[in-house]
Amino acid sequence: MKLLKAGPSPFVRKVLVTLHETGLMDQVEMVQVTASPLDPDSKLTSANPVGKVPALVRDEGPTLYDSRVICRYLDHVAGTKLYPQARIWDTLTLEATADGILEAAVLMVYEGRFRPENLRYDPWIEGQWAKVTRALAALEGRWMSHLNGPLDAGQIACACALGYLDFRHADRPWRAAHPALAEWEAGFKARDSMIATRPE
């Protein structure tokens, strides 16, 4: 299998953490591509027509994307139960919440990186951050018991989302308003899989 990846993508990091946690890391070749929304790599668009990373090129069967599909596939291959049937809807909803944080946070980065300065729209940027703050409040208010339970894909997604906020939006601190979430994140990021995939 080949994993198409680009830069410090938090969606790629979700897959890398999952590879570490499932013990499949040595079965996947890493392929660096360019994933600019303005000029994506042809290797990427031939694998994923949307032109986004990650994409998992399999030896048999079509290429898989996006990160949620890939993570679930890897868990199925390894049989590690990161998507436990007993709490599958909670796990999937938690993962979707974390991915929503990431989507909004990445769009904020893209606004500054790809849109000309005179065309940037601050209310739109703040609207994206409002999605993040609502999701963080939901994690703190609704999901702490799940986060503190047995390891699953929802926890991995949340840890990667919080790590990305620190990496790209350090000027918008989130911990003071969410002490329980901050305490959980401090423990989870000490896992070997998180240390090995920490963005530079």
Side-chain angles (χ1 to χ4, degrees):
M1 293 183 287
K2 296 179 180 180
L3 182 69
L4 305 188
K5 59 192 284 288
S9 161
F11 295 103
V12 170
R13 189 183 189 195
K14 277 178 54 186
V15 173
L16 294 176
V17 171
T18 302
L19 283 168
H20 280 282
E21 295 289 353
T22 56
L24 295 175
M25 194 71 186
D26 61 353
Q27 297 184 31
V28 179
E29 176 187 346
M30 302 295 151
V31 178
Q32 193 72 25
V33 296
T34 302
S36 163
L38 302 182
D39 186 24
D41 196 315
S42 61
K43 285 186 299 212
L44 177 59
T45 54
S46 66
N48 177 0
V50 179
K52 292 183 178 181
V53 290
L56 184 69
V57 181
R58 296 183 292 167
D59 300 326
E60 297 179 3
T63 297
L64 300 180
Y65 50 87
D66 60 9
S67 62
R68 273 180 276 193
V69 176
I70 296 171
C71 289
R72 193 154 186 187
Y73 172 76
L74 294 172
D75 179 59
H76 172 75
V77 169
T80 40
K81 296 184 171 59
L82 294 175
Y83 292 88
Q85 199 55 44
R87 57 183 198 281
I88 188 62
W89 304 116
D90 285 352
T91 300
L92 291 173
T93 302
L94 185 58
E95 186 179 15
T97 302
D99 281 2
I101 291 172
L102 287 178
E103 288 159 5
V106 168
L107 285 174
M108 291 171 67
V109 171
Y110 280 2
E111 182 76 3
R113 185 174 295 167
F114 296 109
R115 192 181 297 278
E117 188 171 357
N118 64 312
L119 297 178
R120 293 174 197 162
Y121 187 51
D122 286 340
W124 187 87
I125 294 172
E126 294 309 315
Q128 299 307 313
W129 186 251
K131 296 176 188 178
V132 173
T133 57
R134 290 193 300 269
L136 292 174
L139 294 178
E140 178 97 358
R142 161 69 180 85
W143 292 103
M144 291 312 306
S145 62
H146 188 114
L147 288 171
N148 286 307
L151 177 68
D152 69 12
Q155 295 172 8
I156 291 171
C158 284
C160 291
L162 297 174
Y164 188 73
L165 294 182
D166 288 341
F167 181 63
R168 290 297 193 203
H169 299 290
D171 58 330
R172 296 176 182 259
W174 57 269
R175 286 177 175 79
H178 308 289
L181 189 60
E183 182 179 0
W184 172 83
E185 186 269 348
F188 197 94
K189 73 179 180 182
R191 296 181 72 88
D192 289 344
S193 60
M194 293 294 291
I195 293 170
T197 60
R198 189 163 45 210
E200 298 297 332

